[in-house]
Amino acid sequence: MPFPNFIDSFATNITGATPLETNPQHQALLDAFIALQNCDRRLLTDIATAIETGKGTAQQLEACADALTERFIAGVELSRLLSVECCCAQDAEPCVPCGLDQGEECCQDPELPGSLLEACLDVFAQLGDPYAVASADLVDALRDLPGTAGNHRRYSDLTQARLAQLLAPHGMRTRDITLPDGRRRKSYQRDALLAAMGVCTSC
């Protein structure tokens, strides 16, 4: 159940308390924990059903496997949120550092990049907007970024295979290209990246 819900809001009105703005990081932690609890309940229910029937049908086994996969993902997301050092609201002004005295350095996380496509385009720009960048070079640059690239994959954990999986839904594929430095590598093309972002490359 989301917080604050009707009962909590009603209690605030009755007591005359001043409504407080929810810290987005705290809310994300609460939502992730609730999602994990829901996964646990579903997983235990599916397992109990299979035991009660005395046999594990293919459908029941598939349901258990799906529930277990969702549980893994929910656990990873909660672990990620718990590992964040700063609990400040990112848009709060002024920032009140967590556990620090006023005037000390703010503990906010560095500014997160936009979408994965935008992050890739930024790498191209930093390299002088070449027509192609080797997959290995692109991954090396992206791994320095904070945050997640997609599908709960942190930029720091990217590999060439994982990057290919994340970019495939956008229609991007590597091609064997001879780069300006003479290397022939599996590379991503800038025009393909712009096309995936909806930018006309022939105008």
Side-chain angles (χ1 to χ4, degrees):
M1 180 179 295
F3 183 88
N5 53 40
F6 171 76
I7 295 177
D8 300 308
S9 299
F10 182 71
T12 299
N13 293 333
I14 289 296
T15 59
T18 302
L20 300 176
E21 184 177 353
T22 301
N23 184 309
Q25 177 69 14
H26 295 168
Q27 184 65 57
L29 280 168
L30 179 60
D31 292 343
F33 181 67
I34 292 173
L36 185 140
Q37 286 185 313
N38 291 337
C39 288
D40 282 341
R41 291 193 192 97
R42 179 186 166 194
L43 181 59
L44 292 175
T45 299
D46 290 342
I47 293 176
T49 300
I51 294 176
E52 289 175 2
T53 58
K55 58 180 181 180
T57 65
Q59 185 175 4
Q60 289 169 338
L61 291 175
E62 183 178 353
C64 287
D66 290 342
L68 187 59
T69 299
E70 291 183 16
R71 174 60 175 79
F72 285 159
I73 295 175
V76 169
E77 177 63 12
L78 181 58
S79 297
R80 183 187 70 79
L81 291 170
L82 288 172
S83 70
V84 175
E85 295 182 0
C86 179
C87 62
C88 300
Q90 293 213 357
D91 55 356
E93 291 197 16
C95 171
V96 180
C98 310
L100 298 178
D101 295 330
Q102 290 286 353
E104 293 190 39
E105 183 180 357
C106 177
C107 64
Q108 280 188 310
D109 287 335
E111 182 178 355
L112 298 178
S115 68
L116 175 59
L117 295 178
E118 292 172 335
C120 290
L121 191 61
D122 286 343
V123 173
F124 272 78
Q126 293 168 11
L127 297 176
D129 287 329
Y131 67 89
V133 170
S135 173
D137 295 341
L138 185 57
V139 167
D140 285 344
L142 292 174
R143 283 170 62 90
D144 292 332
L145 297 178
T148 56
N151 293 344
H152 305 282
R153 296 287 191 187
R154 297 181 67 85
Y155 280 105
S156 58
D157 296 330
L158 279 182
T159 63
Q160 293 185 58
R162 290 172 180 173
L163 179 61
Q165 292 174 351
L166 294 175
L167 292 179
H170 300 286
M172 293 193 63
R173 302 286 189 277
T174 57
R175 297 180 181 275
D176 291 324
I177 296 176
T178 301
L179 302 172
D181 59 9
R183 295 178 300 158
R184 187 165 181 80
R185 295 287 187 270
K186 296 286 186 182
S187 305
Y188 290 99
Q189 294 175 285
R190 183 171 181 273
D191 284 352
L193 176 59
L194 292 173
M197 298 179 65
V199 178
C200 178
T201 58
S202 60
C203 299

